[in-house]
Amino acid sequence: MRHHLGARLPKFSVEESKTLNGSIDFIGINHYSSLYAKDCINSPCPTGESHAFLGFVYTTGFRDGVAIGEPTPMPRFFIVPDGLEKMDLLNQTNLQVREKIY
């Protein structure tokens, strides 16, 4: 990651890294819309965009010409009510939910 993003990533001392390792107090997720994502490091992506700036990910609201959800007046936003649920985030991580998720 440092090879691709360089100075934009923070640097931590060995002691700071030990302190941070395995620690999380709170994770907040704001979910406004869903998009399909494609890895641009290991897969071919359209040219002309700054994939390094975007985390080497190509995002689009369409797959095989079909929209991911209902279009909105903003071209990059779609109405996808179950988009966050389809990610199945909690089952793919070791997160333990101690409070209700709204």
Side-chain angles (χ1 to χ4, degrees):
M1 198 48 73
R2 191 160 305 283
H3 168 76
H4 296 296
L5 299 177
R8 286 181 278 177
L9 290 177
K11 291 184 180 181
F12 296 100
S13 70
V14 173
E15 192 60 38
E16 289 171 325
S17 294
K18 287 179 185 177
T19 302
L20 294 172
N21 190 21
S23 66
I24 294 178
D25 273 348
F26 173 80
I27 296 176
I29 299 174
N30 291 328
H31 182 260
Y32 299 104
S33 185
S34 294
L35 294 170
Y36 295 113
K38 184 177 184 180
D39 167 22
C40 292
I41 292 177
N42 300 305
S43 304
C45 287
T47 59
E49 294 185 31
S50 176
H51 296 296
F53 178 73
L54 301 172
F56 295 98
V57 174
Y58 171 71
T59 57
T60 180
F62 296 89
R63 181 188 291 164
D64 299 326
V66 178
I68 194 169
E70 182 182 336
T72 68
M74 297 179 67
R76 296 281 294 163
F77 284 83
F78 297 83
I79 299 171
V80 188
D82 57 354
L84 193 58
E85 291 175 28
K86 285 185 177 181
M87 278 181 43
D88 199 23
L89 181 66
L90 295 176
N91 289 329
Q92 295 179 31
T93 64
N94 293 325
L95 292 178
Q96 295 179 1
V97 179
R98 296 190 181 126
E99 295 182 25
K100 186 174 181 179
I101 297 177
Y102 296 94

